Amino acid sequence: MRILEPVRDVAPSPLASCQIGVDVGGTFTDLVLIDGCGAVRCVKVPSTPGEPALSTLQGIDELIGPAGARQFQSIHHTHSNTLALNTLIERTGANIGMLVTQGFRDLMEIQRLSIPDPMRYSSRRPQAVVPRRLVREVRERLNADGSIETPLDASQLLEAAAEIVAAGAQGIVICFLHSYRSPVHERRAREIIGEKFPDLPVDISSEVWPQAREFERGMLATINSYVRPRIERYVTVLAQGLLSRSISSAPRGARSNGGRELLSSMGQKPAVALFSGPAAGVAGAASVALDAGWADADLMTLDIGGTSADIGVIRRGKPILSSEEHIADFPILFPTVAVSAIGAGGGSIIWADPTGSVKVGPRSVGADPGPACYGRSDALVPALTDAFLVVGYLSADRKLGDKLVMSLERSLQAMSRLGDRVGVPAEGIADGAIQIAIAMMAAEATSTLSRRGVDAPEFRMVAYGGAGPLLGALVAEEVFIDTVLIPPLPGALSAMGAARSDIHGDFLRPIYQEVEIIDPTQFASQLDSISRDARDWLGEEVEGLPVTGMNITYSLDMRYEGQGFDVAVDIDRETLERFDRSVLLKRFHDAHQAEFGYASESARVWIKELRAHAVGYLAKTVHAHKGAEAAQPCAPRARTIRLRGAAVHASVYSRENLEIGSRLEGPAIIEQMDTTTLIPDGWICECHQSGALVLHRAG
C-alpha cells in the first residue's frame, strides 16, 4: 500500500474509481481515500459535534481536492461513527414510550434484577431509557409456542397509545410477551396505532431482532427508536451535502459486525451501528495484519482515541463477534465485534480525589474545548494529551493532525495547578498520569483476554488510534506481549477499515425446541425463510459495488437442557437441509467439548436459534509500500523525554523518511501526520514492506 501525503501533493488518476472511508470521532473526523492504483490519502479535520455531517463533508472536500468528484468514475464511501453510541451513553436521544403485555409494566425497571458491580455498595441498576410514566400495559397474551392466549384489545391499545403521546413521547416501542415466536399482535398493534397517529414512529421488537428474553429484546428495540432521530439527521445532512458535490453514489455505513450497509436501510435500524467506529477499527486491524503477512493471526487490538481506549480480540485473522455485549450496562443482542472500552483516551481528564490520589478519566474534555494545550478555554483542565506533551512524547513544534497548534505552556500550567494541590511537580503529574492510564489499559486488556479464554503472551498486538502507537509497547509490556504492529495510518485505521470493509449482514430465526422433537418440515421452512432474506438483502446491498463473490454461512445456538448459556455451532447448508439429528448432536457435543472441556452425550439438547451470516466480498487493491525515496535516510533529531519515571534521550524520526527494512532501537520516537509512535528502551522497530512498523521486544 502506498501512502501519499500530504493530500495537496497528490493528483489521482483521471476517471479512476475510489473508496472513501470516514470515521467521525470525538475530537477528529478521519477520512481516507484509496484510488484504483492502491494509493492511499488521509486527512483529519476537527469534528463538529453539533452537526457531525459537516466535518465529514469538509473532510471530503479536502480529500478529493479542487477537481471534485468529476475526476473519478465512481466514488464508493462508507461512514463509521459513534453517534448512536454517544447518544445512548449521554442520554440525549428521543422521548420514547413503550407498550407491553399486561402485567409487565416494570420490565425496563426490573431488568434482570442484577446490578453491574455487586462488590460495590454504591452500584445500582442503570436508569431505564424509557421512564415508567411512558410505559403502558395492553391486554393481550401469546403462549410460549406463539399461539394466542388472550386476543389483542384494540380499544385499550389506542387509549394507552394516546396517553403516551399526550405525555410527550416522540415514538413508541411495542414489546409483547413471546412476540419472537409470533409477531401477529405486535404487527396488528402497529397498524392500529398508525391509523390513529400516522406520523408517529412505531418500532416492534419482533422485527428489530426476534430473539427470546423480553427485557433484552425490548431494550434493543428501545435503543433503536431512541437513537434514530440523530442518525436520521446525520444521514439527511450528509446526503444533501454529497449531492451538492456531485457525489451520487449511495452512502453506506459501517455496522457493528465489521461490515457495511446502505445508510438508507441502516436509518431504519440504527442499532446495528452502535459499535460501528470501534468495529471498523478492529476490522481494519485484521486487514493491515494480513497485509503484513500475519495471516490467521491471534491478535489483541488497542485503539486509543480522544475519549476512550478500546480493546478487541482477533482469532485466526477474524474479529471475534459476540451477541452478549453491553453499552452503558445495557445488553446488545445484535452480533457485534467484541470491544471493551475504558475512559482513558487523549481527552480523558487528569484529576485528584479528596485524598490527593491522581486519577485519569472516565470524564473527557471532548473535542471542544479539548485538552488545555488546544487553547480553546481558560479553564486549563489537564487531559492525557497534555501529559504526552509535557513528558516530551509529543512536540509543540508539530501541529496535531497537521491542523491544531499545541501549547506546551498551557499544558504545564494545567499540570502545575493540579500538582500544587497534591505536592507534585508538573512533570511528575504528567508521568504519573500516563503510568496510571497504562495500568488501567493493561488491567482491562487482561480481563478482556481472559474472558475470551486466551493467554496474552501467545498473542501479538495491533496498536492504532491517535494515541495507540504512543502507548502500545508500554501496555504490551504489562500484559507480556512481545510484538506490536503499528499500521501505516494508525490514526485513521477505523476510516481505513470502513473503506476496505465487505458487506456483512446477520439474520435470525427462533427455534426453541428439543432436537429430538423438532419437525424437519417446519425447520426446513425456517431455513428457506432465513436464506431468502439473506439473499434478498445481499442483492440490494451489493448493487453498484465491485463484488468478487457472495456467501451465506449458517450456525445453530444450542445448549443442554437446563443450561444457562449457548454454544454456537457452525453447520453447512447441506447438513441443515438433511436435518440428520445424529450429525447435529455430534457437532454440538464436539463444540461443547472443545469450548468447555466436557460433553454430556446422554443429556437432552435444545436448538435455540438458527442464524445466517451473509457476506458480499468486495474487490480490494493493495500495493506494496514504497517507503522513502531518499538515497540516505535523514539523521534523527534528539529529544529528552520522561519514560518510566526517568529522563532519557530519544532519537526522533519522521516516518515518511524511513526506508523499508530500516531498523531502529529504542528509546526513539517516530512522528507522522496522524499519530506519534514511541519505541521504549528494550524495543526494536523494523519497517515492514507493507508500510507497517513492527516493534519487537529485544532479546
Side-chain angles (χ1 to χ4, degrees):
M1 179 163 44
R2 293 183 291 139
I3 308 299
L4 304 178
E5 53 177 320
V7 172
R8 58 184 175 273
D9 294 335
V10 180
S13 303
L15 300 180
S17 62
C18 71
Q19 294 277 356
I20 291 178
V22 181
D23 179 48
V24 182
T27 304
F28 283 103
T29 294
D30 303 318
L31 301 95
V32 297
L33 183 151
I34 309 173
D35 69 17
C37 298
V40 178
R41 286 176 271 161
C42 171
V43 298
K44 296 176 79 74
V45 298
S47 294
T48 51
E51 194 69 85
L54 296 183
S55 61
T56 298
L57 296 170
Q58 177 189 345
I60 289 176
D61 289 340
E62 294 190 25
L63 200 60
I64 63 179
R70 65 180 181 274
Q71 64 192 299
F72 300 103
Q73 285 181 337
S74 60
I75 298 178
H76 304 294
H77 45 105
T78 304
H79 305 258
S80 67
N81 56 66
T82 55
L83 299 181
L85 177 64
N86 291 339
T87 299
L88 178 60
I89 292 175
E90 297 167 3
R91 300 298 183 94
T92 56
N95 291 323
I96 301 300
M98 176 174 276
L99 296 174
V100 297
T101 301
Q102 190 172 46
F104 286 81
R105 186 178 182 185
D106 292 315
L107 176 67
M108 293 291 111
E109 300 288 338
I110 296 174
Q111 301 172 20
R112 284 293 170 187
L113 288 178
S114 60
I115 57 177
D117 189 350
M119 302 304 293
R120 297 181 61 181
Y121 291 119
S122 60
S123 184
R124 297 290 185 272
R125 288 193 298 275
Q127 182 180 355
V129 175
V130 181
R132 193 174 188 273
R133 64 181 180 83
L134 292 179
V135 181
R136 294 292 185 276
E137 299 178 0
V138 177
R139 278 192 295 274
E140 68 81 38
R141 184 79 174 228
L142 297 179
N143 293 314
D145 61 0
S147 61
I148 297 176
E149 173 71 19
T150 303
L152 177 66
D153 188 328
S155 61
Q156 192 210 18
L157 170 73
L158 277 177
E159 181 180 338
E163 291 177 359
I164 290 176
V165 172
Q170 299 167 298
I172 290 180
V173 170
I174 303 174
C175 181
F176 290 156
L177 189 66
H178 300 312
S179 61
Y180 64 93
R181 294 304 301 265
S182 172
V184 58
H185 277 183
E186 287 193 348
R187 289 179 178 175
R188 179 56 184 152
R190 180 175 58 186
E191 291 175 2
I192 294 172
I193 295 172
E195 293 171 359
K196 179 69 174 178
F197 304 100
D199 297 326
L200 183 70
V202 179
D203 282 277
I204 61 176
S205 68
S206 55
E207 287 188 359
V208 174
W209 195 246
Q211 191 169 347
R213 295 183 289 179
E214 264 58 43
F215 166 63
E216 287 81 357
R217 189 176 71 254
M219 190 68 241
L220 196 58
T222 299
I223 292 173
N224 199 67
S225 185
Y226 186 73
V227 304
R228 182 185 292 117
R230 191 171 187 191
I231 300 302
E232 287 180 338
R233 172 68 182 175
Y234 175 80
V235 172
T236 299
V237 175
L238 177 66
Q240 292 173 349
L242 292 172
L243 285 176
S244 70
R245 290 160 174 79
S246 301
I247 300 176
S248 57
S249 56
R252 287 172 166 81
R255 290 175 56 116
S256 298
N257 61 7
R260 69 172 85 177
E261 180 181 356
L262 287 166
L263 275 179
S264 57
S265 59
M266 188 179 288
Q268 298 304 309
K269 198 181 287 186
V272 301
L274 282 167
F275 286 98
S276 71
V282 177
S287 179
V288 296
L290 181 63
D291 292 344
W294 292 6
D296 300 326
D298 291 333
L299 306 169
M300 169 191 150
T301 65
L302 177 64
D303 175 10
I304 307 177
T307 58
S308 66
D310 300 334
I311 297 164
V313 179
I314 296 172
R315 297 300 304 267
R316 294 178 289 278
K318 303 292 184 183
I320 287 182
L321 294 180
S322 170
S323 298
E324 302 291 338
E325 294 302 295
H326 285 70
I327 295 177
D329 295 319
F330 292 123
I332 304 298
L333 294 179
F334 282 136
T336 298
V337 171
V339 175
S340 178
I342 58 172
S348 295
I349 295 174
I350 303 171
W351 55 286
D353 66 14
T355 67
S357 298
V358 175
K359 308 285 185 179
V360 176
R363 292 185 300 120
S364 172
V365 292
D368 190 6
C373 61
Y374 286 9
R376 293 176 175 171
S377 170
D378 295 331
L380 290 176
V381 178
L384 207 51
T385 298
D386 295 303
F388 296 150
L389 193 58
V390 169
V391 300
Y393 295 173
L394 300 179
S395 171
D397 296 331
R398 289 179 63 92
K399 294 181 180 180
L400 197 63
D402 265 357
K403 287 183 171 62
L404 288 177
V405 177
M406 296 181 292
S407 169
L408 175 59
E409 180 182 357
R410 289 179 59 84
S411 293
L412 284 169
Q413 290 176 0
M415 292 294 173
S416 296
R417 286 187 181 183
L418 180 59
D420 291 343
R421 290 175 49 198
V422 299
V424 178
E427 292 79 3
I429 291 289
D431 192 26
I434 292 172
Q435 294 188 53
I436 290 169
I438 291 170
M440 292 169 60
M441 296 173 198
E444 187 64 25
T446 300
S447 174
T448 298
L449 294 176
S450 297
R451 289 199 305 271
R452 305 300 172 196
V454 298
D455 189 16
E458 299 176 359
F459 273 53
R460 289 173 281 185
M461 178 189 290
V462 179
Y464 55 97
L470 264 181
L471 301 184
L474 296 175
V475 174
E477 286 181 345
E478 296 296 317
V479 296
F480 305 102
I481 289 177
D482 295 330
T483 306
V484 180
L485 184 143
I486 310 297
L489 290 171
L493 189 64
S494 290
M496 176 69 76
R500 299 181 68 178
S501 62
D502 293 314
I503 302 293
H504 286 266
D506 293 285
F507 304 85
L508 178 140
R509 291 293 184 274
I511 305 297
Y512 299 99
Q513 283 186 296
E514 185 185 341
V515 173
E516 295 295 343
I517 65 173
I518 291 177
D519 183 343
T521 302
Q522 292 181 357
F523 184 86
S525 176
Q526 293 279 50
L527 179 60
D528 289 341
S529 173
I530 198 172
S531 299
R532 184 169 55 253
D533 285 356
R535 287 195 305 270
D536 292 346
W537 181 85
L538 265 181
E540 294 176 1
E541 292 295 330
V542 302
E543 186 175 353
L545 293 176
V547 180
T548 61
M550 293 185 287
N551 187 36
I552 301 174
T553 56
Y554 302 88
S555 65
L556 296 173
D557 286 355
M558 305 176 71
R559 63 167 62 182
Y560 290 118
E561 186 171 60
Q563 201 169 41
F565 53 88
D566 306 323
V567 175
V569 183
D570 295 330
I571 307 283
D572 59 276
R573 173 68 186 262
E574 184 179 350
T575 300
L576 292 174
E577 288 176 339
R578 292 200 313 268
F579 200 76
D580 187 326
R581 290 182 173 85
S582 61
V583 173
L584 296 179
L585 290 172
K586 185 178 187 308
R587 295 276 186 90
F588 168 68
H589 293 314
D590 290 346
H592 200 283
Q593 176 75 41
E595 187 163 350
F596 298 105
Y598 74 95
S600 301
E601 298 188 6
S602 61
R604 295 179 178 179
V605 177
W606 283 61
I607 296 178
K608 277 191 61 185
E609 291 109 8
L610 167 65
R611 295 177 183 263
H613 185 76
V615 183
Y617 299 100
L618 304 184
K620 298 176 180 64
T621 304
V622 180
H623 287 262
H625 179 74
K626 292 175 63 177
E629 297 181 357
Q632 294 182 348
C634 297
R637 292 168 283 121
R639 184 190 304 167
T640 300
I641 65 173
R642 288 184 64 88
L643 184 60
R644 304 188 187 93
V648 298
H649 297 289
S651 300
V652 182
Y653 300 85
S654 294
R655 186 163 181 176
E656 56 264 32
N657 292 329
L658 296 179
E659 295 181 319
I660 296 300
S662 297
R663 180 183 173 92
L664 311 177
E665 294 186 3
I669 287 175
I670 301 174
E671 297 177 331
Q672 63 187 96
M673 181 274 291
D674 58 326
T675 193
T676 298
T677 300
L678 172 66
I679 308 170
D681 55 301
W683 286 76
I684 296 172
C685 172
E686 296 180 352
C687 301
H688 192 271
Q689 63 181 5
S690 67
L693 303 176
V694 181
L695 279 58
H696 301 279
R697 209 189 305 218

